[in-house]
Amino acid sequence: MSTTDDPLSWAREYTPVLQSLGDEYDDEEPLAGYTIGLATHMEAVSGCLVETLARAGAEVLFTASEPQSTHGDVVQYLDDQPGITAFVREGMSDAEFDEAQHELLEREPDFLLDDGCELIAKVHDEHPEIAKQILGGGEQTTAGITRAEAMERDGVLEFPVYSVNDTPMKHFFDNVHGTGESALVNVSITTNTVITGQTVVVAGYGYCGRGIARKARGLGAQTVVTEVEPRKALQAHMDGHRVLSMPEAAEIGDIFITSTGTRDVIRREHFEAMQDGAQLANAGHFDVEIDLDGLAEYAESVSEPREGITRYTTPDGRHLNLLADGRLVNLTGPASDGHPAEIIDTTHAMMFVAADDLLTRDHDLGPGLYAIPDRLDRQMAERKLETLDIDTDAVTEKQVAYAEDWRNEGSAF
Ligand code: NAI
């Protein structure tokens, strides 16, 4: 039995939407003449996005959005292809990661596709002359949108940015199902322990948290949700999860998974209340949701009982086990491969559409953050359904007339 030298071959089979875009665009090459800078978690499925952009004619410069999630074989393979240049390698330090992003920006791309608003923030902050020449951007994550909104509020954005994260085709599937499933799978693999029967505390009941909590319950866990937003807390309660404050949850949780997009959600007063053996994982953003400095200060000693697990022994002898250094557990754990390919396929297809629409359509969008037109989201849903061979019903003429008939003249009642 032999394995292939092409690290994208498996991912291509599970990214039918990107492949169909590549098949449709590679004759005409509508993105020819444009240079697209991309920052994302660099693994095989992201590699399929890079490849699809190149098939559509773009010159692609890519880097990482997180220093620890890069797959070196994918980077090497792509860098060897014409029209594609890597500004990343596996095992980069934080300083090298930062430097690589600057190097990419100094090549003066026309468009930025971003994850966490890394490139978009950096080009405005540190390369303002280059920012002025950029034609547009697309951002795929919740945390990146928060950052882009802050830039818009400060009036500093120099070009239109599409909020890919806010499209239903992204957050209904990527955040709920992609993060939901891959975070739990990676907690289980990293620790070699079961989810069933455990008390799983999910911090944040947004799209990601909802997916994590629902799937944890599906696996047999008792689920607890913590929130700061009253309607989300109520929703979690009505969905059947136990809603507690973090001080209460800290006392009973076996596994903690954060997905809030903010910092210090689990901190010293919570570590002090936790049970021996508690597992701490983050599926939100970067490594700030669990207060790592607070944990290190509180602990009496630190060890590594298993790859991907840092054990903090507390002054009273309890063990608190931090997974994947508090970084995204589904992307940076020892066996992590990111989201399942079929899920990220649609997210990346929406990134492709963002670039295609802003670069090739005659639009009049000035600098600012914009929703992707709903028709494009809908078209992508139709494309995905086609790949699944799923038919939907068509609205009849009578149904259209009925919906438009506000006087109810044609209705029977
Ligand atoms: P969201 O905005 O839908 O949900 C976040 C929730 O956290 C909100 O309901 C908010 O009220 C709650 N929250 C905020 N502060 C809190 C606190 N201190 N304690 C408890 N709850 C709090 O966002 P979404 O889409 O669920 O994303 C969450 C995070 O996950 C973001 O940082 C996003 O970038 C990241 N993300 C991670 C992915 C991954 O692969 N691991 C994939 C997609 C998003």
Side-chain angles (χ1 to χ4, degrees), residues 141-144 165 170 174-175 179 203-209 226-229 232 259-262 265 283-285 289 328 330-331 339:
T141 69
T142 312
N165 181 67
K170 198 273 178 179
D174 178 311
N175 302 32
T179 309
Y205 200 65
Y207 291 103
C208 294
T226 71
E227 251 297 342
V228 292
E229 214 287 330
K232 295 285 176 68
S259 61
T260 68
T262 191
V265 178
H285 208 69
E289 300 214 7
L328 301 192
N330 58 326
L331 286 154
H339 282 30

XYZ file of all heavy atoms in Angstrom, residues 141-144 165 170 174-175 179 203-209 226-229 232 259-262 265 283-285 289 328 330-331 339, ligand 1:
288
model
N -13.857 34.955 10.496
C -14.176 34.537 11.865
C -14.922 35.610 12.659
O -14.836 36.800 12.369
C -12.917 34.207 12.700
O -12.220 35.427 12.935
C -12.034 33.210 12.046
N -15.589 35.135 13.721
C -16.324 36.030 14.619
C -15.373 37.053 15.232
O -15.649 38.254 15.246
C -16.963 35.192 15.750
O -17.626 34.075 15.169
C -17.952 36.006 16.553
N -14.248 36.562 15.768
C -13.316 37.468 16.446
C -12.737 38.483 15.454
O -12.533 39.656 15.799
C -12.193 36.665 17.097
N -12.505 38.041 14.214
C -11.980 38.953 13.197
C -12.993 40.033 12.841
O -12.637 41.197 12.605
N -17.947 35.694 7.801
C -18.454 34.999 8.990
C -19.955 35.164 9.157
O -20.636 34.275 9.654
C -17.753 35.533 10.240
C -18.225 34.822 11.490
O -17.962 33.639 11.660
N -18.953 35.511 12.343
N -21.745 30.284 6.278
C -20.572 30.085 7.129
C -21.001 29.667 8.530
O -20.779 28.548 8.969
C -19.726 31.367 7.149
C -18.300 31.144 7.635
C -18.147 31.231 9.113
C -16.744 30.965 9.593
N -16.605 31.066 11.020
N -20.055 25.994 9.729
C -18.676 25.988 10.223
C -18.642 26.105 11.746
O -18.066 25.268 12.452
C -17.953 27.161 9.543
C -16.520 27.343 9.973
O -16.252 27.355 11.179
O -15.657 27.509 9.087
N -19.285 27.158 12.286
C -19.209 27.401 13.729
C -19.967 26.325 14.506
O -19.452 25.762 15.474
C -19.769 28.784 14.074
C -19.050 29.909 13.356
O -18.587 29.728 12.235
N -18.948 31.055 13.974
N -16.848 23.487 14.407
C -16.209 23.657 15.716
C -16.813 22.685 16.721
O -16.102 22.076 17.519
C -16.385 25.100 16.227
O -15.989 25.993 15.202
C -15.567 25.354 17.469
N -18.413 27.442 27.836
C -18.495 28.888 28.108
C -18.830 29.595 26.806
O -18.058 29.534 25.843
C -17.180 29.392 28.672
N -19.987 30.256 26.765
C -20.408 30.965 25.551
C -21.387 30.100 24.774
O -21.052 28.978 24.383
N -22.614 30.599 24.570
C -23.631 29.834 23.838
C -23.963 30.550 22.533
O -25.101 30.828 22.202
C -24.880 29.647 24.717
C -25.771 28.511 24.293
C -25.314 27.196 24.355
C -27.066 28.736 23.837
C -26.132 26.138 23.981
C -27.898 27.686 23.458
C -27.414 26.391 23.534
O -28.225 25.330 23.161
N -22.906 30.916 21.806
C -23.093 31.461 20.462
C -23.153 30.297 19.490
O -23.498 29.172 19.856
N -22.776 30.555 18.242
C -22.845 29.486 17.236
C -21.948 28.310 17.622
O -22.364 27.156 17.575
C -22.455 30.040 15.859
C -23.491 30.991 15.321
C -23.279 32.366 15.357
C -24.692 30.520 14.822
C -24.246 33.240 14.880
C -25.672 31.383 14.346
C -25.436 32.742 14.373
O -26.405 33.601 13.919
N -20.701 28.608 18.010
C -19.775 27.508 18.344
C -20.236 26.782 19.598
O -20.311 25.548 19.627
C -18.360 28.040 18.574
S -17.592 28.731 17.114
N -20.542 27.553 20.643
C -20.918 26.950 21.922
C -22.161 26.083 21.792
O -22.254 25.015 22.401
N -22.291 28.437 30.425
C -22.159 29.736 31.108
C -22.305 30.824 30.051
O -21.877 30.635 28.909
C -20.800 29.894 31.825
O -19.771 30.036 30.844
C -20.500 28.706 32.729
N -22.921 31.913 30.407
C -23.161 33.008 29.441
C -23.106 34.358 30.137
O -23.157 34.448 31.371
C -24.541 32.846 28.784
C -24.525 32.424 27.322
C -23.862 33.421 26.375
O -23.693 34.599 26.735
O -23.522 33.019 25.241
N -23.000 35.429 29.362
C -23.139 36.789 29.884
C -24.355 37.476 29.252
O -24.786 38.516 29.716
C -21.878 37.656 29.614
C -20.686 37.156 30.416
C -21.542 37.710 28.116
N -24.886 36.881 28.175
C -25.972 37.507 27.421
C -27.277 36.817 27.848
O -27.415 35.595 27.674
C -25.704 37.323 25.922
C -26.167 38.460 25.057
C -27.677 38.508 24.898
O -28.310 37.439 24.937
O -28.224 39.600 24.736
N -29.144 34.511 25.340
C -28.405 33.279 25.019
C -28.496 32.295 26.191
O -28.618 31.091 25.995
C -26.950 33.604 24.723
C -26.733 34.458 23.476
C -26.913 33.619 22.233
C -26.799 34.443 20.956
N -25.477 34.965 20.698
N -15.699 29.162 24.299
C -15.971 29.572 22.901
C -16.694 30.912 22.928
O -17.803 31.043 22.443
C -16.831 28.522 22.195
O -18.071 28.391 22.857
N -16.034 31.907 23.512
C -16.688 33.207 23.712
C -16.141 34.314 22.814
O -16.818 35.306 22.589
C -16.499 33.689 25.167
O -15.119 33.989 25.364
C -16.950 32.654 26.173
N -14.882 34.203 22.386
C -14.247 35.280 21.625
C -13.665 36.367 22.520
O -13.149 37.367 22.016
N -13.730 36.184 23.832
C -13.159 37.203 24.715
C -12.114 36.573 25.656
O -11.864 35.378 25.590
C -14.265 37.928 25.508
O -13.693 39.060 26.151
C -14.919 37.039 26.562
N -12.028 34.181 30.534
C -13.355 33.650 30.870
C -13.222 32.652 32.027
O -14.072 32.557 32.896
C -13.966 32.973 29.620
C -15.316 32.368 29.939
C -14.092 33.981 28.503
N -11.888 26.601 22.472
C -12.241 26.498 21.047
C -12.637 27.869 20.517
O -13.267 27.986 19.472
C -13.387 25.509 20.858
N -12.311 28.927 21.255
C -12.684 30.281 20.854
C -11.609 30.907 19.981
O -11.413 30.474 18.851
N -10.892 31.859 20.533
C -9.896 32.488 19.666
C -8.563 32.667 20.379
O -8.522 33.020 21.550
C -10.415 33.822 19.140
C -9.818 34.166 17.815
N -10.118 33.467 16.667
C -8.926 35.093 17.467
C -9.442 33.978 15.671
N -8.709 34.965 16.115
N -8.694 32.906 26.192
C -9.966 32.683 26.891
C -9.749 32.068 28.276
O -10.507 32.308 29.204
C -10.895 31.829 26.028
C -11.203 32.498 24.695
C -12.603 32.246 24.165
O -13.419 31.651 24.860
O -12.864 32.662 23.027
N -6.570 26.993 20.179
C -7.755 26.302 19.666
C -7.522 24.791 19.635
O -6.684 24.296 18.880
C -8.086 26.780 18.250
C -8.361 28.262 18.091
C -8.954 28.553 16.735
C -9.251 28.771 19.184
N -9.205 22.352 18.515
C -9.511 21.609 17.282
C -8.495 21.883 16.179
O -8.499 21.212 15.157
C -10.931 21.936 16.783
C -11.128 23.397 16.512
O -10.569 24.243 17.185
N -11.915 23.710 15.506
N -7.636 22.870 16.397
C -6.660 23.206 15.349
C -5.221 22.985 15.775
O -4.346 22.794 14.922
C -6.837 24.670 14.924
C -8.073 24.895 14.073
C -8.578 26.308 14.194
C -7.786 24.563 12.628
N -11.221 21.772 11.018
C -12.607 21.347 10.842
C -12.679 20.214 9.836
O -11.838 20.121 8.942
C -13.423 22.504 10.263
C -13.803 23.537 11.267
N -13.054 23.835 12.356
C -14.882 24.340 11.318
C -13.655 24.772 13.050
N -14.768 25.111 12.440
P -20.850 34.239 18.997
O -20.705 35.709 19.065
O -21.987 33.631 18.252
O -20.880 33.621 20.480
C -20.051 34.024 21.533
C -20.901 33.888 22.802
O -20.050 34.044 23.939
C -21.991 34.947 22.895
O -23.245 34.336 23.102
C -21.569 35.798 24.081
O -22.652 36.326 24.813
C -20.782 34.776 24.895
N -19.833 35.370 25.843
C -19.089 36.484 25.711
N -18.344 36.687 26.816
C -18.624 35.665 27.649
C -18.169 35.301 28.938
N -17.279 36.035 29.606
N -18.675 34.179 29.511
C -19.598 33.424 28.875
N -20.062 33.717 27.639
C -19.584 34.822 27.038
O -19.478 33.699 18.423
P -19.144 32.255 17.795
O -19.378 32.292 16.341
O -19.772 31.202 18.614
O -17.560 32.240 18.006
C -16.990 32.159 19.302
C -15.465 32.172 19.191
O -15.044 31.012 18.480
C -14.893 33.369 18.401
O -13.688 33.759 18.996
C -14.613 32.776 17.030
O -13.615 33.489 16.339
C -14.165 31.397 17.402
N -14.289 30.398 16.368
C -13.488 29.313 16.515
C -13.501 28.322 15.575
C -12.625 27.148 15.755
O -12.271 26.505 14.771
N -12.283 26.778 16.966
C -14.361 28.400 14.357
C -15.271 29.536 14.366
C -15.207 30.516 15.327
